[in-house]
Each structure stands twice: as C-alpha cells, then as structure tokens.
Amino acid sequence: ETGVTQTPRHLVMGMTNKKSLKCEQHLGHNAMYWYKQSAKKPLELMFVYSLEERVENNSVPSRFSPECPNSSHLFLHLHTLQPEDSALYLCASSQDVPLREAYTQYFGPGTRLTVL
Amino acid sequence: DAKTTQPPSMDCAEGRAANLPCNHSTISGNEYVYWYRQIHSQGPQYIIHGLKNNETNEMASLIITEDRKSSTLILPHATLRDTAVYYCIVGGDMRFGAGTRLTVKP
C-alpha cells in the first residue's frame, strides 16, 4: 500500500463509451500525475497537477480529459477512445517542491484499460 | 526523452549483490538522481534518491560518481522478489526511460 488508490482496477470499454478513472491519495501531497504505460513501452507522462492547477500537458489527445477537484482526488475522463489507447494508466502523487529539488512520487496500482 | 542510459537487462543470482548502472552525463548541478522499480503490472515503487553523496536505506544503496555523470544502484542481497524493471531518473520532470529488467535467478 502506497497511500494512492485507483479505481477501477480493470476497465473494458467500447470506442463510443464515456468512462472515468479515479485516483485518490491519502498522503497529504499537493501534486498529482497521470501516466500511460502501453505494452512494452516506457511510462509516458500525460498530465501534471500542482495545487489543483494543471501545470503540464504532454500533447495528450483531447479524448483524455483530466480533472483535479482538490489536492486528494484526480480523475481522467475518457471518451471516444481508440483501441491503441488500451494501456495501464497510472496515477502518482508527490509533495510539490521547487523545480529540481528532491521529491518522491508514490504510485497507485494502476487501471488496466482495454478499448474494444 | 529520458536523460539516462541503462542496460536493457541484467541477471543476478539469488543472495548475491545486484549492481545496476546508470549513465546521466548531462545531469545538471542541482538535479537529483532517483531510482524506482516496477514489478510486473504494478505501479512503480520508489527506492532511493541522491544528489552528490552516496545514500543507503533499507532497500538499497546508491553510489554516485564524483563527477555525477553516472550512478549505481546496489541491492546487497538480491531475492527472487527483486525481479523487476529498475528505472533511473534524473531531475524533476520524472520522465521514465526503458529501464533495466533485472532477473534474479535461484
């Protein structure tokens, strides 16, 4: 247990569905992240939120829509996904500190998403 | 792109020390070196980090060269449960590369 939970753990959806992934952290952190991990590929940073403001969006398609209503919760809203979006989606949190100073990310277990 | 270079895979005998190298020749003076590992289909797990000095915790030791252009993660007594992909990351942008797949063999 890392203090970061993700639901659901597994999700199968059709290309026309709308679904949401949820992440919750119980560590008192103020930064949260979404990563995507496709099969046999490195983790790709998708979104970064610091103090509930989006600070980074790595050119992610608009069919992925993040939401950070407070420092403990992070959502990833999904709509009209493609089969190539099937992947492990990982959430992480950290205590945000000035750039390049030390901070540690704690990851959730991930949501295994399959798009049919 | 990741700012580190790691061998794609390594093997280690159970009970022996596993030494995982990482090159980060473009590291800046105030950038930390972080190590994480990912056991199959789980979220990455933080192991250790350091800036200049060698560091040790209950999981591993981190040796950073004096010029800071490379480092080595040491698992002193590897177990089968240490089989995982190990990632070396530099700086605050947390960009993961391909890592090193460590296989601990009985």
Side-chain angles (χ1 to χ4, degrees):
Chain A
E1 281 294 328
T2 63
V4 181
T5 59
Q6 290 187 244
T7 55
R9 295 292 305 276
H10 300 272
L11 177 63
V12 178
M13 61 186 289
M15 289 190 285
T16 58
N17 292 157
K18 290 184 180 181
K19 297 287 185 182
S20 296
L21 310 184
K22 179 182 177 181
C23 175
E24 184 173 0
Q25 59 97 359
H26 310 275
L27 301 168
H29 290 160
N30 58 10
M32 298 187 76
Y33 312 77
W34 279 116
Y35 287 86
K36 174 185 178 182
Q37 188 172 35
S38 303
K40 300 185 179 181
K41 288 186 177 180
L43 278 77
E44 301 172 49
L45 181 63
M46 299 176 73
F47 300 104
V48 179
Y49 276 83
S50 175
L51 299 172
E52 302 152 40
E53 295 289 327
R54 189 190 307 178
V55 298
E56 188 164 349
N57 172 359
N58 288 286
S59 302
V60 178
S62 60
R63 56 186 184 270
F64 295 91
S65 175
E67 178 189 3
C68 188
N70 55 62
S71 60
S72 298
H73 294 87
L74 184 66
F75 295 89
L76 187 63
H77 303 300
L78 316 170
H79 63 97
T80 60
L81 294 192
Q82 305 297 313
E84 58 264 30
D85 297 321
S86 298
L88 181 68
Y89 288 84
L90 291 156
C91 172
S93 73
S94 73
Q95 190 61 28
D96 195 24
V97 293
L99 188 64
R100 297 182 178 170
E101 291 192 16
Y103 65 94
T104 300
Q105 284 189 328
Y106 293 85
F107 284 81
T111 294
R112 175 71 61 188
L113 173 67
T114 302
V115 181
L116 300 177
Chain B
D1 292 339
K3 296 190 277 189
T4 61
T5 303
Q6 299 177 253
S9 64
M10 292 182 64
D11 291 343
C12 178
E14 188 179 18
R16 305 298 292 265
N19 298 288
L20 293 94
C22 179
N23 287 323
H24 32 80
S25 58
T26 60
I27 192 171
S28 298
N30 58 354
E31 289 185 314
Y32 283 76
V33 180
Y34 304 85
W35 283 83
Y36 287 77
R37 73 180 183 184
Q38 187 176 25
I39 296 171
H40 181 64
S41 293
Q42 297 181 22
Q45 175 191 22
Y46 165 79
I47 301 173
I48 198 167
H49 73 276
L51 182 62
K52 297 179 181 178
N53 301 320
N54 299 336
E55 302 288 344
T56 296
N57 63 21
E58 65 278 4
M59 290 183 68
S61 294
L62 174 60
I63 309 298
I64 302 174
T65 58
E66 192 168 343
D67 63 6
R68 302 206 331 117
K69 293 184 177 182
S70 65
S71 60
T72 300
L73 179 75
I74 301 173
L75 308 178
H77 306 286
T79 71
L80 299 179
R81 287 181 293 180
D82 292 322
T83 293
V85 178
Y86 287 77
Y87 299 100
C88 170
I89 301 163
V90 163
D93 61 2
M94 301 307 292
R95 300 194 185 276
F96 288 73
T100 295
R101 180 171 298 279
L102 174 69
T103 303
V104 180
K105 298 185 175 180

